[in-house]
Amino acid sequence: MTDSARPKSSVAQIRARFDADVDRFSNLETGQTAAMDSVLAQTLLAQAAARITPHAQRILDVGCGAGNFTLRLLPHLPHREIVLLDLSQPMLDRATERIRAVSHGSIETVCGDVRELHRPDQSLDIILAAAVLHHLRTDAEWDAVFAAFHRWLRPGGSVWIYDLVTSQIPELDALQWAQYRHYLTSMQGTDFADKVMGYIDDEDTPRPLMEQLDRLRHAGFAQVDVVHRHGCFAAFGAIRTADSLA
């Protein structure tokens, strides 16, 4: 679907689109409607994170948007220390408002790009990343971000990702993109499908799911698994075990 050789939107252009789209990302019941199974996938990942990292205290939400992913986790792990990262200040403001309404844990906000984020090593227990990593461009960026996730997590910590993915089999990839267009059309019509597919072409460079799992292992995560997949969207996670300190 996407052509990694064509010029992509700049960070400023992506930020401007999200600055103007806060309300659409602020409904916990419907989730991100342009993403297949977003409510189910984030719910499953929140349950997995709480089960696998039950003593978590500090959580980083990468590309937090209006805060839905963190809000799904907080009922399982209430009143934790939350770090919110997003390109969009209006998104951060809305996420902070919504999280403060249900949690008295501390909230730190960072307006910026995950590729430029610096955190102390072994300072986090859980990392969440929903519909954000597909903005990464090069192999080096993917490897650097996954390596940073591994460094930032304490042993026993975990990372949980829900995102747009591709397939390494061309025929299957084409089928899944066609299914996704059909899904978008059934949701809100052809114009909506054209709009979403247009900004995917402009902004996004998703990678195959299996490639991302391999990159997580290469970054040092010894335990990696898929929680849910539906077409070109997948939910998956990785654990930094005590013996994976590379």
Side-chain angles (χ1 to χ4, degrees):
M1 171 62 195
T2 55
D3 179 1
S4 59
R6 64 176 287 180
K8 294 289 182 177
S9 299
S10 67
V11 169
Q13 289 171 319
I14 294 171
R15 178 187 292 115
R17 184 172 75 81
F18 284 106
D19 282 353
D21 212 10
V22 175
D23 287 343
R24 185 168 68 89
F25 288 82
S26 300
N27 191 319
L28 196 61
E29 287 69 39
T30 60
Q32 187 175 343
T33 53
M36 299 168 75
D37 291 354
S38 66
V39 172
L40 172 62
Q42 291 183 33
T43 298
L44 291 172
L45 292 180
Q47 292 171 347
R51 177 71 63 91
I52 289 169
T53 318
H55 304 299
Q57 292 300 316
R58 180 169 281 263
I59 298 155
L60 169 65
D61 191 340
V62 178
C64 66
N68 283 350
F69 207 170
T70 292
L71 287 167
R72 293 196 186 284
L73 180 61
L74 285 174
H76 305 285
L77 298 174
H79 312 304
R80 294 325 201 252
E81 300 173 32
I82 305 296
V83 181
L84 300 174
L85 170 69
D86 203 274
L87 289 175
S88 168
Q89 188 61 51
M91 286 287 192
L92 286 169
D93 293 342
R94 180 67 60 84
T96 300
E97 175 187 357
R98 297 172 77 208
I99 292 167
R100 285 202 191 283
V102 299
S103 174
H104 56 66
S106 67
I107 302 174
E108 175 188 351
T109 62
V110 182
C111 189
D113 189 322
V114 67
R115 293 169 293 191
E116 300 169 355
L117 183 66
H118 298 283
R119 307 300 299 184
D121 291 355
Q122 299 190 28
S123 62
L124 300 168
D125 300 297
I126 293 173
I127 297 173
L128 308 175
V132 60
L133 298 183
H134 59 254
H135 292 304
L136 298 175
R137 305 299 189 211
T138 66
D139 289 350
E141 288 179 353
W142 282 91
D143 287 338
V145 168
F146 283 163
F149 287 173
H150 189 268
R151 287 196 313 274
W152 297 339
L153 286 169
R154 299 184 181 102
S158 57
V159 56
W160 302 98
I161 298 166
Y162 166 67
D163 216 333
L164 186 67
V165 298
T166 59
S167 173
Q168 293 169 316
I169 302 171
E171 296 83 359
L172 182 57
D173 196 51
L175 174 62
Q176 290 173 341
W177 282 109
Q179 291 172 335
Y180 182 42
R181 174 175 281 279
H182 176 75
Y183 163 81
L184 293 170
T185 301
S186 69
M187 288 286 292
Q188 297 187 39
T190 302
D191 288 348
F192 178 68
D194 289 344
K195 177 182 176 181
V196 173
M197 300 301 266
Y199 68 64
I200 289 174
D201 277 341
D202 290 342
E203 297 179 5
D204 303 344
T205 47
R207 293 296 183 96
L209 172 59
M210 297 306 169
E211 176 189 316
Q212 294 187 54
L213 300 178
D214 287 342
R215 289 184 185 278
L216 286 165
R217 293 187 186 97
H218 181 74
F221 290 98
Q223 294 181 302
V224 179
D225 212 337
V226 178
V227 178
H228 178 75
R229 178 167 185 173
H230 184 181
C232 48
F233 286 87
F236 51 102
I239 305 167
R240 175 172 180 170
T241 55
D243 61 348
S244 63
L245 305 181

